[in-house]
Amino acid sequence: MRLPSGDPVTRQPVAGRRLVLLLAVTCGVAVGNVYFPQAISPLISSGLHVRPDAAALVVTAVQLGYALGIFLLVPLGDRLPHRPLVVTLLGLTGLNLLAASAAPALPPLVGAGVLVGVTTVIAPIVVVLAAGLVPDDRRGAVTGTLLSGSIGGMLLSRAFGGSVGEWLGWRAPYLMAAAAALLLATVLAFALPATTPASRQRYPALLAETLRLLRSEPDLRRSCFYQATIFGAFTAVWTGAALLLTSPTYGMGAQAVGVLALVNVGTMLSTPLAGRQVDSRGPDRVNFVCMLVVIASAGVLRAGGLGGAMGLVALGLGTLMLDVAMQSGMIANQVRIFALRPEVRSRLNTAYMTCAFLGGGLGSWLAARAFTQFGWQGVCALVAVLATLALTRHLLHRRHPASAAPAPPPLVGSGSGSGSG
């Protein structure tokens, strides 16, 4: 059997339960590298003797690096065998984390953070890999397992980073994350099956097609805007929360950020429900509700600036609302874009996730400056503004939906499979 492009299709191995769980752990470890710096930025500030808003550049750097890595490296999942690609990226991530742990000043740490972000883009590659290793009737369950692993890594990495950093210093989380990445690289070098690339296109053509999809698919651009703004609000809150909890308002240590993140473990339970709502009600309705919840969360989070027990309750409830809305909206967006062109789902996801993390990096950068100038209330106002932008775009679409256009011709050498990060 051959694809229309002439690329051969070979039978791929079937993944068992153990391999799926190993891949879920891999997703969690890789995604965690993007999020644990949020918990330790106050420790970096005191350890390197720089202003808190300057130390927050480490958070922005890894997120912008992640966006760059998604754009430059994730398309290689259609072009290269997955085992050497995943193992190489994990190995490079471990080395970059080691370099970050040894950084003598902020500029080299920011540079190492960019490199960590570029190479830790393993989760979206692994999801596409897993989609090709399981039968159609298991694909949804396996994708959900991998998404739970990613969310678990997002939540636990903040707890891990804050607690270990408070105990052993800000360099320790980088060292331990490096050890985890290098250990996983070694295990996966033997555990991953050999796979056949889905496309024979040259690398420049893969990158060009990602940009072409953004230009030619209005619903992709719309989904990218939704996630860039909402994910920007999400990263803004977590960057600001680290500064708030370690400020005189609360006077807590960095581990408090990790404890706050663990409150949001309920997000892992909400994603299957969100998926069912998307299936039954459609992505647009779910996006609309999620945007309203993000705006409401900004009001709840505002009370977190009061301090004390009531302030902590407001922070816990507000971040839970925001986390659930962001993750549910991401599912809605990905269902929408994966329905556009099934034969190029990896490149659709590349465009989508690149825009999402560009928005996340901008949200972190703006939050650090908003907190410095206006305090926690400025961060909450930023969240409300970003969510309102998304809601306005959504309402404009509902009022003036784009006229249906004929589907463009299939891209040459396209590979199938879905992915998420």
Side-chain angles (χ1 to χ4, degrees):
M1 177 181 176
R2 302 181 74 84
L3 291 172
S5 62
D7 291 336
V9 176
T10 60
R11 179 178 292 276
Q12 302 283 30
V14 176
R17 187 183 300 268
R18 290 184 180 179
L19 179 58
V20 171
L21 292 176
L22 177 60
L23 292 178
V25 171
T26 301
C27 289
V29 170
V31 169
N33 294 327
V34 181
Y35 293 98
F36 80 76
Q38 292 176 337
I40 63 171
S41 66
L43 300 176
I44 294 172
S45 173
S46 58
L48 295 180
H49 308 291
V50 296
R51 299 192 320 273
D53 60 328
L57 285 175
V58 176
V59 180
T60 301
V62 70
Q63 288 167 347
L64 292 179
Y66 198 76
L68 183 63
I70 288 172
F71 181 75
L72 294 177
L73 300 181
V74 169
L76 291 175
D78 285 343
R79 183 65 181 83
L80 300 177
H82 288 107
R83 180 168 59 193
L85 178 60
V86 170
V87 170
T88 299
L89 289 178
L90 273 171
L92 291 174
T93 298
L95 295 177
N96 292 331
L97 288 164
L98 287 175
S101 73
L106 184 62
L109 179 58
V110 169
V114 172
L115 294 177
V116 169
V118 168
T119 56
T120 199
V121 291
I122 293 140
I125 297 174
V126 164
V127 172
V128 176
L129 162 64
L133 293 179
V134 297
D136 291 347
D137 59 357
R138 286 188 60 209
R139 193 162 292 154
V142 168
T143 301
T145 300
L146 298 183
L147 179 59
S148 293
S150 295
I151 296 174
M154 182 191 306
L155 298 176
L156 294 176
S157 66
R158 296 193 191 103
F160 154 80
S163 299
V164 173
E166 192 74 25
W167 181 33
L168 299 173
W170 69 265
R171 298 180 191 272
Y174 282 102
L175 287 170
M176 297 180 71
L182 294 173
L183 176 61
L184 267 177
T186 303
V187 172
L188 291 175
F190 297 95
L192 286 183
T195 58
T196 301
S199 174
R200 289 177 174 173
Q201 281 188 282
R202 299 179 64 182
Y203 177 64
L206 292 174
L207 297 185
E209 285 177 5
T210 298
L211 296 174
R212 191 182 310 149
L213 287 167
L214 269 173
R215 187 172 62 250
S216 64
E217 297 289 349
D219 278 345
L220 174 61
R221 293 195 300 272
R222 180 164 65 96
S223 299
C224 288
F225 184 79
Y226 292 167
Q227 193 64 12
T229 50
I230 298 301
F231 190 64
F234 173 84
T235 60
V237 165
W238 285 104
T239 299
L243 299 173
L244 174 66
L245 290 173
T246 56
S247 73
T249 302
Y250 286 97
M252 296 181 175
Q255 72 270 21
V257 182
V259 174
L260 179 62
L262 289 179
V263 172
N264 296 318
V265 72
T267 307
M268 298 177 66
L269 305 176
S270 71
T271 50
L273 175 61
R276 289 194 292 270
Q277 291 299 310
V278 172
D279 289 338
S280 62
R281 300 176 183 273
D284 281 1
R285 287 191 179 184
V286 173
N287 277 134
F288 178 67
V289 172
C290 290
M291 293 165 190
L292 293 178
V293 172
V294 174
I295 294 173
S297 75
V300 175
L301 287 165
R302 191 171 182 271
L306 300 176
M310 291 301 296
L312 287 174
V313 170
L315 285 177
L317 178 59
T319 55
L320 179 60
M321 292 170 62
L322 178 61
D323 282 15
V324 170
M326 190 276 292
Q327 296 288 352
S328 300
M330 183 176 74
I331 294 171
N333 290 328
Q334 289 188 306
V335 167
R336 182 187 298 111
I337 67 172
F338 289 159
L340 296 174
R341 305 279 298 280
E343 76 278 6
V344 288
R345 284 174 178 160
S346 285
R347 274 152 279 181
L348 287 166
N349 201 44
T350 295
Y352 172 75
M353 295 302 296
T354 299
C355 293
F357 276 88
L358 285 174
L362 180 62
S364 293
W365 184 79
L366 290 173
R369 275 137 192 82
F371 189 89
T372 299
Q373 295 294 323
F374 307 107
W376 178 246
Q377 307 305 319
V379 176
C380 296
L382 173 62
V383 171
V385 168
L386 289 171
T388 301
L389 288 173
L391 181 61
T392 302
R393 174 67 180 86
H394 185 66
L395 293 176
L396 288 173
H397 170 77
R398 292 176 61 177
R399 180 173 296 184
H400 305 290
S403 59
L411 299 179
V412 176
S414 303
S416 64
S418 63
S420 64

